[in-house]
Amino acid sequence: MRPEILFPLFAPVTTLKGVGPRMAPLVQKLAGPLVRDLAFYPPNGVIQRRRATAADAVEGETAIFEVTIDRLIPPHRMGAPIKVRAYDATGFVHLNWFAGSPRHIEGLAPAGSVRLVTGKVEKFNNEVQISHPDYILPVKQADEIPLAEPTYPATQGLGSRQIRKLCMASVALVPPLAEWQDEAWIKRQKWPDWQSALQAVHAPQNELDLQPEAPARARLAYDELLAHQIALARRKMNRQSTPAPVIREGETSHRLLDILPFKLTGAQARAIEEIRHDLKSGEQMARLLQGDVGSGKTAVAAVVLADAAASGFQSALMAPTEILARQHAEKLGPLLAEAGISSILLTGRDTPAVKRKKAAAIAAGEVQVAIGTHALFQDAVEFQNLALAVIDEQHRFGVRQRQQLQDKGKSGVHLLSMSATPIPRTLELTQYGELDVSRLNEKPPGRTPVTTAVLPLVRIKEVAQRLKAAVEAGAQAYWICPLVAESEAIDLAAAEDRAEALRKFLGTEVGLAHGQMAGAEREVVMNRFAAGDLPVLVATTVVEVGVDVPNASIMVIEHADRFGLAQLHQLRGRVGRGAKASSCILLYGAGEDGGLGETATKRLEILRNTEDGFLIAEEDFRLRGGGDPLGLRQSGFPAYRFADPIKHRQLLLAAADDARIIMGRDPKLQSARGQAIQVLESLFDWRTDRPNID
């Protein structure tokens, strides 16, 4: 329950004077719906003013002039400015307005009056000009002109000064609060108390006060990070306190290990032990199994699926595409059956009658392992005693979708996610301790390195010529396009057109696979390519996962700058699966210069320099941010008001440590500091604008 002392801050912005029906939507759009949101809406700039004369004014500075108004000069033509000529003892100061009423301006600056005028200094013919002055006031009102004035992000209909007035009204409602930070830590950092820090943030005196390392900003950033970290620690504690079925290895598991046609690598054995430790703890597991394409993640999953069956429970293996789900069923089904474990494949392609029959078998507990696509978490599918959910290529599923599968269990369902390249949000959860990690860091036998080249699209003919020579020598290749068909709205390569062009140029049959084809038709093409009947397969990202053709040794990706790092790494993983030397060509750009933005350039450089999926994921995290660990966004940076996840990295790590200590020592937060920390959590309560997915 929110502490009563915070009630004024969690009141609607409409309770503030001046925020009526017209202004309320604008305020909510900029800052948020609550008074607290305005108090937490920091300025993004500061105008510094100094006294100046026409003679010593510096161009580009914002100055305060004491001038005598000479006369108003009306516009001499349409679009010309309204001008007011003024002067001091050292020269002229010209004031210009490109909009407004001459009568109104003349009222502000009547001829012969002495006025204080402020604005950004411009020079023309060595004389001072100011366009749209900030202030024009009588000299006796000099104290109304701030020497340092914060500026705020604004919107049409709601200017910076109006926002500042509302922010200051909100800050005035902030009550004195007990200190929640460690006194020695505050002293060591030389930070002000919380209330003083908030007031200082809204009253910057110079640009240094706007920097992340400024004492007031750093103090509030740490408060925000600590509140966030405590929320994450509390969620992990709640998950761990959720009872989950105890799963142990048994005779069925041992039979499966004996049946496997290969010996487990050391990394696979370690991962299995780490997973088993979680499964038999009685606490709900949340673990990421990370390993590059072909590193043996599926074999690890098979063993723990067998453990669940040996313990009398059901499990589910969910894949993002029908191709991958069928591949899992074809490879795992016979192994599981030989070990005495029943399995079933459930996909969207099944007819309604078949779906009902399979769903009935799952609900009756006749099936121990359900393998499938998104069909697994549909309402019609019920499990008798689901205890383990394994999600392959977890980056292809949304947060809600992964949760929906876990919700199929009657009690806490263990979660094992698998990925070659974790998305930023997943990586962030591993860094915050919400998700434990098992890593397969041993290269599987028979895998060959893939040489990656980054080329501008203008060299596509050269690439096609090299491809022709390779195909004539017996090679197989993928050619990836971002679109299925030509689009008037987007100038990108289309798979249909590219397939036709390559057929003519190569003089051979070229396969085509994309998501708009019927599943059966696409499967025929894929099978022909896998069998070696097609030398080239033009496709969209439908081949990103679940396609295993050891003979394919060339991957060409058009407009690679339009794909994410995880996608590019997965696509590249389609080659290098056999003994042949393999290559991946990333074609980028559209114009003659093939120009790239800074982020796209970094992405392609990362792909060229490494094949390490976890390193690629870390770079993706740095480039795109980790999303919202307490919400649904899977990339981008958390919507912090004061913290910068990059610039405040050390504070974030310190906050994570402090959160673990606080929750470990006083999980119920009954101490005096604990009660203050509960106020901190409420103050930065993210649930007011984020869905609760716990």
Side-chain angles (χ1 to χ4, degrees), residues 323 396 478-485 493-496 498 511-517 522 526 537-545 547 555-558 563 567 571 574:
I323 292 172
R396 297 283 295 272
Y478 297 92
W479 190 296
I480 307 300
C481 296
L483 298 179
V484 173
E496 293 174 344
R498 182 61 66 216
L512 175 65
H514 56 72
Q516 293 181 14
M517 296 169 66
R522 186 172 64 242
M526 304 287 282
L537 178 65
V538 175
T540 57
T541 53
V542 293
V543 300
E544 180 184 334
V545 294
V547 181
M555 169 66 69
V556 180
I557 305 175
E558 278 194 67
F563 294 89
Q567 274 190 317
L571 289 167
R574 298 309 101 201

Side-chain angles (χ1 to χ4, degrees), residues 1-3 6 10 36 40 177 180 223-235 238 630 659 662-663 666-669 673-688:
M1 184 177 292
R2 183 173 296 125
L6 297 180
F10 282 82
R36 177 205 64 173
F40 286 3
L177 299 173
W180 45 71
D223 289 332
E224 187 167 33
L225 291 168
L226 179 59
H228 191 197
Q229 292 299 307
I230 288 174
L232 283 165
R234 191 183 295 282
R235 188 168 78 174
N238 290 340
L630 289 173
I662 290 167
M663 297 304 294
D666 196 3
K668 294 185 179 180
L669 299 177
R673 187 188 174 202
Q675 291 169 14
I677 286 169
Q678 287 181 313
V679 172
L680 168 68
E681 284 189 84
S682 295
L683 198 58
F684 287 99
D685 188 352
W686 287 35
R687 287 174 298 178
T688 57

